[in-house]
């Protein structure tokens, strides 16, 4: 199975000046664990995850004043729609992260998460005799 078959095509995109509270509210409303941060001044595309927000709050930072750009990962590993799920899972395991932005033609086409991969693999694994 390929990344294109598992990825979510609902991509939440926010700006670098969104507060962490705004980002969290949007992520919660869309029921996603990551947002693509489009920041042309910082080199383009980054990612803000629920873990980034949690770490900030855990440090006692104010989610109403902290901006997304201060917590965005900019050295992102991108996936291609034609990657296998094994390739995506390997990249996540190697990098220690749970989301990959999927680029198609240089533009975000989706996000694939560990949960997406598990959802695809679980039915196939359940049919294997023990």
């Amino acid at each position: 199975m390929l990344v294109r078959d598992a990825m979510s095509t609902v991509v939440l995109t926010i700006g670098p000046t969104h507060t962490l509270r705004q980002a969290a509210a949007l992520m919660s409303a869309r029921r996603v664990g990551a947002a693509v941060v489009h920041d042309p001044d910082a080199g383009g595309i980054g990612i803000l995850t629920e873990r980034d927000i949690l770490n900030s709050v855990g440090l006692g930072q104010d989610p109403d004043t902290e901006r997304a750009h201060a917590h965005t990962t900019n050295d992102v590993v991108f996936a291609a729609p034609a990657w296998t799920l094994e390739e995506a899972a390997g990249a996540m395991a190697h990098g220690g992260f749970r989301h990959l932005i999927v680029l198609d033609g240089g533009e975000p086409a989706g996000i694939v998460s560990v949960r997406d991969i598990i959802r695809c693999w679980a039915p196939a694994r359940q049919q294997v005799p023990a």
Side-chain angles (χ1 to χ4, degrees):
M1 188 169 277
L2 302 178
V3 165
R4 75 169 50 92
D5 303 318
M7 71 182 191
S8 170
T9 57
V10 176
V11 179
L12 173 61
T13 302
I14 63 171
T17 60
H18 275 79
T19 66
L20 293 187
R21 183 173 310 278
Q22 290 170 325
L26 291 167
M27 290 164 65
S28 178
R30 296 262 186 103
R31 300 180 50 85
V32 297
V36 172
V37 180
H38 181 68
D39 188 355
D41 295 332
I45 300 170
I47 190 167
L48 178 74
T49 68
E50 56 199 358
R51 185 183 305 172
D52 298 323
I53 295 169
L54 182 65
N55 287 341
S56 174
V57 172
L59 290 171
Q61 297 174 334
D62 183 353
D64 290 314
T65 59
E66 287 295 312
R67 302 293 173 176
H69 68 82
H71 303 277
T72 298
T73 300
N74 291 313
D75 58 340
V76 178
V77 175
F78 297 103
W83 278 19
T84 66
L85 294 186
E86 288 80 8
E87 289 173 301
M92 290 177 187
H94 183 267
F97 44 80
R98 298 177 295 165
H99 299 87
L100 284 169
I101 299 172
V102 181
L103 291 185
D104 192 6
E107 294 297 320
I111 292 184
V112 66
S113 69
V114 169
R115 181 177 297 166
D116 297 326
I117 293 171
I118 291 170
R119 191 177 303 122
C120 290
W121 282 350
R125 304 283 192 245
Q126 291 172 358
Q127 295 173 5
V128 176

